Amino acid sequence: MAVDATPAPRFGLWRVATWVVLLLAAIGGVLYLRHGDWPYLVGSFVVIVVCAGGILRQPWARQALRVVALLLALWALATGGLMLAQWGRFDVARAHAMTQPQAPLLLLVIEDWRRSFMLALAFKALLVPLALWLAWQLGRPPVRAQFVARR
């Protein structure tokens, strides 16, 4: 009876982080498709493919996933900063809405917009450290050793 000398793959928190990035990219892809934002849709598709390769521990995917993680961290940091710069617009919009005949309806729309804005900021705030941690993990020797060419 032959015994397989290949060790079973170990649980890696980096794989969970990769799944989270993949799921966020899929959600973003659906939103970009819905709004017809083709450059972002293509970008989210690339992220999904690289994440899937990383989850499957394909050798080509480790470096690509590191680059994608770093680019996502920079993107989230930059766009989050731009969003924070626009924070005061909610007060301006509320003040303007109060002068309109349909003020209660406009205030509801503004509040809904504010909640979506806050959710996007929260996702970006979570993505920055997650993506940086993932890029760091993918460079560590124990994780690098998990990306071996299959026969």
Side-chain angles (χ1 to χ4, degrees), residues 40-73:
Y40 277 114
L41 179 63
V42 170
S44 66
F45 181 72
V46 168
V47 171
I48 290 168
V49 169
V50 170
C51 286
I55 291 166
L56 295 173
R57 293 179 285 133
Q58 297 295 314
W60 60 266
R62 188 183 67 80
Q63 276 299 88
L65 191 53
R66 283 187 86 186
V67 170
V68 164
L70 290 172
L71 289 174
L72 283 174

Side-chain angles (χ1 to χ4, degrees), residues 122-146:
F123 277 133
K124 289 174 189 294
L126 290 173
L127 181 61
V128 171
L130 176 74
L132 291 174
W133 178 84
L134 180 60
W136 172 69
Q137 283 292 309
L138 289 166
R140 295 184 57 231
V143 175
R144 267 196 318 249
Q146 295 179 30

Side-chain angles (χ1 to χ4, degrees), residues 11-144:
F11 172 77
L13 200 53
W14 68 268
R15 290 176 85 182
V16 175
T18 304
W19 271 105
V20 170
V21 172
L22 182 140
L23 292 172
L24 289 175
I27 291 168
V30 169
L31 292 175
Y32 301 139
L33 179 62
R34 185 175 170 193
H35 294 292
D37 197 338
W38 296 106
Y40 277 114
L41 179 63
V42 170
S44 66
F45 181 72
V46 168
V47 171
I48 290 168
V49 169
V50 170
C51 286
I55 291 166
L56 295 173
R57 293 179 285 133
Q58 297 295 314
W60 60 266
R62 188 183 67 80
Q63 276 299 88
L65 191 53
R66 283 187 86 186
V67 170
V68 164
L70 290 172
L71 289 174
L72 283 174
L74 288 173
W75 172 79
L77 193 60
T79 56
L82 291 173
M83 287 176 73
L84 283 175
Q86 302 298 319
W87 186 261
R89 291 192 175 218
F90 289 111
D91 293 331
V92 172
R94 279 190 203 104
H96 182 68
M98 294 302 288
T99 64
Q100 303 300 315
Q102 300 166 335
L105 178 62
L106 290 174
L107 290 173
L108 285 174
V109 170
I110 291 168
E111 185 58 28
D112 186 48
W113 181 45
R114 190 187 70 78
R115 267 190 248 114
S116 296
F117 188 87
M118 294 291 290
L119 187 62
L121 272 177
F123 277 133
K124 289 174 189 294
L126 290 173
L127 181 61
V128 171
L130 176 74
L132 291 174
W133 178 84
L134 180 60
W136 172 69
Q137 283 292 309
L138 289 166
R140 295 184 57 231
V143 175
R144 267 196 318 249

